[in-house]
Amino acid sequence: MSAAMTGTSVPAAVACRVSTLDTDDVALSAQAAHDTVQLARDARWHLDATVAGSSPRAAVARDGGLAVLLVGEVPDTGGPDAVLHLFRDLGPCAFSQLSGRFAAVVVDSADRSVTVATDHAGTVPLHVVHTWDGHIAVATEAKALVRLRGRGRPLPGTQEMPGLGGVRRVRAGTCLSLAGPGQARARRTWVVPAHRELVEPHLAAEQVRAVVEEAVAWQARDGMTTVLSGGIDSSAVAATVRSQRGSVSTVTMGTDRSDEFGPAALVAEHLGAHHTEVSTTVASVLAELPIVVALTESADPSVNEYLLPLARLYREIPAGHRVMTGYGADIPLGGMHRGRADLALEELIVEDMSSFDGLNELSPNLGSHLGLWTSHPYWDRAVLGRLVTLAAGLKRRHGRDKWVLREAFRDLLPEQTVLRPKLGIHEGSGTTSHWSEVLLERGVSPADVTATKARISRAVYDRVVVDGEAPGAVDLDDLTSTVVAAEPVRA
Ligand code: AMP
Ligand code: MG
């Protein structure tokens, strides 16, 4: 399928940089030409936005002196107009009402204020520099603000990017309004719920089913591919797409080291999916590390390890497509803690939900540099809220992890799929074990493998984000040798 046929299915602005400064070193990873849009201008004040996406049409709405730039999407396809109308009525409080997958910039020429906002989970990363002399620059990618390093002042509702003093990431679920020098006000638009509800088990499953259906319904379009592992999370998404739209396209990736072709094929056949298997080498998966770090702008080694296989798989999906994943269900449901039955699941979930912000696991950049738009129904605001607030006893139940999700979709899937134990994508593709082996072969001791992966991730981050080097220029073998040699290797 050509990008031209499906281009409108992908949100128009999938990356942006907005600035009152005349700097032209824009480095945005999104595919296709960059477009400059004027958001506000008078004799003393201007704000230009550079936007990139699969369509040259920027997602901008205007009304009088108000201009909205939307990167991403909100339900009911209202786009930036919906944001503008809500903002006109409610001001910054509008963002407490908006669900979706977005970052937004609102410029009010009347009072020369700029408001920036992330969605509930910060799924579209957003960065800001507010210089001491009152200039403002905003970008979805921190690397587009590198030249302003050291010039930004501290801001509420933000966190400094590692290695990039003065460049600040807007926290998840935050709306930050900036006016003249020294005027900054942040408000939370979403917080991780702390309460839990003990719902009657089958009612809980019905509720989970209903919110997932609603999320898939607003995110699904024609020209969409579901990345399927054959585990419960992605299988439930594929089954929902199939039941809502009458058909579903699925793709599964395996490597020369490991694959989940069997479990995925079982689901695909059950759903009558248009199913594709992609085979590749695990070495080509690991080779994605520099580009993955450049796109996530996160040095977290675990997150990068999960995203390596997805990044490799996305290369096989035609530009212009939407990609739907089952990513992230494990976080509110505690699905990855199968080996820790001794610990209270509730405590682990609280810990995981308090540490997701800034990991950028759901960043659209991973797909947008290939002209894809990714959506993750389990991190839709309503789905996440429902999953988090269910009592832990509904999540680990009858000796089964993610019980409530399995129960919710059992009638749509083969029994084997409903009962299938969790397997992470980094495990199912052999990525984790391959990367570990590469390090062991270089003499890293087993006890140091995890720490060495962390040092490698950080070294890559320093080059492709902090120093703004092209990911293609990073020779991972050389970099690995340098990192390994830098630390004394224990026998
Ligand atoms: P997991 O770590 O298994 O939770 O994987 C996260 C998401 O990535 C899944 O819900 C799927 O959407 C996708 N995924 C995982 N493994 C594969 C695979 N082998 N092929 C295609 N997609 C996958
Ligand atoms: Mg899996």
Side-chain angles (χ1 to χ4, degrees), residues 233 330 335-336 338 401-402 406 420-424 427:
D233 310 347
D330 290 307
M336 64 288 211
R338 57 201 184 277
D401 59 22
K402 295 187 275 191
R406 296 176 191 278
R420 188 177 175 225
K422 162 86 195 158
L423 188 68
E427 303 163 318

Side-chain angles (χ1 to χ4, degrees), residues 174-297:
T174 297
C175 174
L176 171 66
S177 296
L178 305 170
Q183 291 177 43
R185 174 155 184 218
R187 21 190 139 211
R188 294 309 309 264
T189 55
W190 192 81
V191 290
V192 178
H195 72 283
R196 299 296 183 258
E197 290 167 21
L198 188 55
V199 184
E200 190 279 317
H202 291 95
L203 180 59
E206 268 174 38
Q207 292 175 352
V208 167
R209 169 87 165 250
V211 283
V212 171
E213 282 175 350
E214 231 172 277
V216 169
W218 85 258
Q219 293 168 3
R221 304 280 192 287
D222 289 339
M224 196 185 70
T225 300
T226 302
V227 285
L228 178 70
S229 66
I232 186 64
D233 310 347
S234 55
S235 299
V237 168
T240 304
V241 172
R242 166 74 177 81
S243 72
Q244 288 180 358
R245 305 184 74 80
S247 68
V248 61
S249 294
T250 50
V251 62
T252 303
M253 189 185 75
T255 68
D256 49 347
R257 190 171 181 122
S258 185
D259 66 65
E260 297 180 71
F261 287 152
L266 178 73
V267 174
E269 198 173 316
H270 188 85
L271 300 176
H274 306 282
H275 185 57
T276 311
E277 289 177 354
V278 169
S279 290
T280 188
T281 63
V282 73
S284 79
V285 173
L286 183 55
E288 294 284 331
L289 188 64
I291 182 89
V292 165
V293 175
L295 295 168
T296 61
E297 301 193 319

Side-chain angles (χ1 to χ4, degrees), residues 214-471:
E214 231 172 277
V216 169
W218 85 258
Q219 293 168 3
R221 304 280 192 287
D222 289 339
M224 196 185 70
T225 300
T226 302
V227 285
L228 178 70
S229 66
I232 186 64
D233 310 347
S234 55
S235 299
V237 168
T240 304
V241 172
R242 166 74 177 81
S243 72
Q244 288 180 358
R245 305 184 74 80
S247 68
V248 61
S249 294
T250 50
V251 62
T252 303
M253 189 185 75
T255 68
D256 49 347
R257 190 171 181 122
S258 185
D259 66 65
E260 297 180 71
F261 287 152
L266 178 73
V267 174
E269 198 173 316
H270 188 85
L271 300 176
H274 306 282
H275 185 57
T276 311
E277 289 177 354
V278 169
S279 290
T280 188
T281 63
V282 73
S284 79
V285 173
L286 183 55
E288 294 284 331
L289 188 64
I291 182 89
V292 165
V293 175
L295 295 168
T296 61
E297 301 193 319
S298 161
D300 187 276
S302 308
V303 166
N304 289 324
E305 205 168 70
Y306 307 150
L307 295 178
L308 285 167
L310 274 182
R312 176 65 190 83
L313 172 56
Y314 289 171
R315 292 193 185 281
E316 309 299 325
I317 300 173
H321 268 223
R322 281 177 173 253
V323 176
M324 199 170 272
T325 81
Y327 205 97
D330 290 307
I331 302 170
L333 292 174
M336 64 288 211
H337 299 301
R338 57 201 184 277
R340 303 177 70 181
D342 52 320
L343 293 171
L345 187 62
E346 185 55 63
E347 294 302 319
L348 295 166
I349 292 170
V350 167
E351 193 180 308
D352 292 339
M353 286 303 301
S354 68
S355 54
F356 73 84
D357 192 17
L359 296 178
N360 296 350
E361 269 184 284
L362 304 179
S363 170
N365 298 343
L366 207 68
S368 63
H369 80 115
L370 300 164
L372 305 172
W373 176 252
T374 50
S375 48
H376 312 288
Y378 293 109
W379 274 65
D380 167 81
R381 191 176 70 177
V383 177
L384 187 62
R386 177 65 296 186
L387 296 182
V388 172
T389 55
L390 289 174
L394 293 160
K395 301 174 183 179
R396 186 188 280 159
R397 188 174 176 80
H398 303 313
R400 192 137 282 143
D401 59 22
K402 295 187 275 191
W403 178 87
V404 71
L405 183 65
R406 296 176 191 278
E407 188 62 24
F409 288 93
R410 71 181 309 130
D411 62 317
L412 295 183
L413 293 167
E415 195 186 1
Q416 233 177 300
T417 307
V418 174
L419 299 179
R420 188 177 175 225
K422 162 86 195 158
L423 188 68
I425 185 169
H426 53 302
E427 303 163 318
S429 59
T431 304
T432 296
S433 50
H434 171 73
W435 194 7
S436 299
E437 216 166 76
V438 165
L439 298 179
L440 293 169
E441 278 166 10
R442 287 168 184 262
V444 175
S445 76
D448 285 338
V449 163
T450 303
T452 306
K453 287 179 180 176
R455 286 198 300 274
I456 291 171
S457 289
R458 178 59 201 238
V460 174
Y461 173 92
D462 285 342
R463 286 182 61 178
V464 300
V465 181
V466 177
D467 296 339
E469 223 179 303

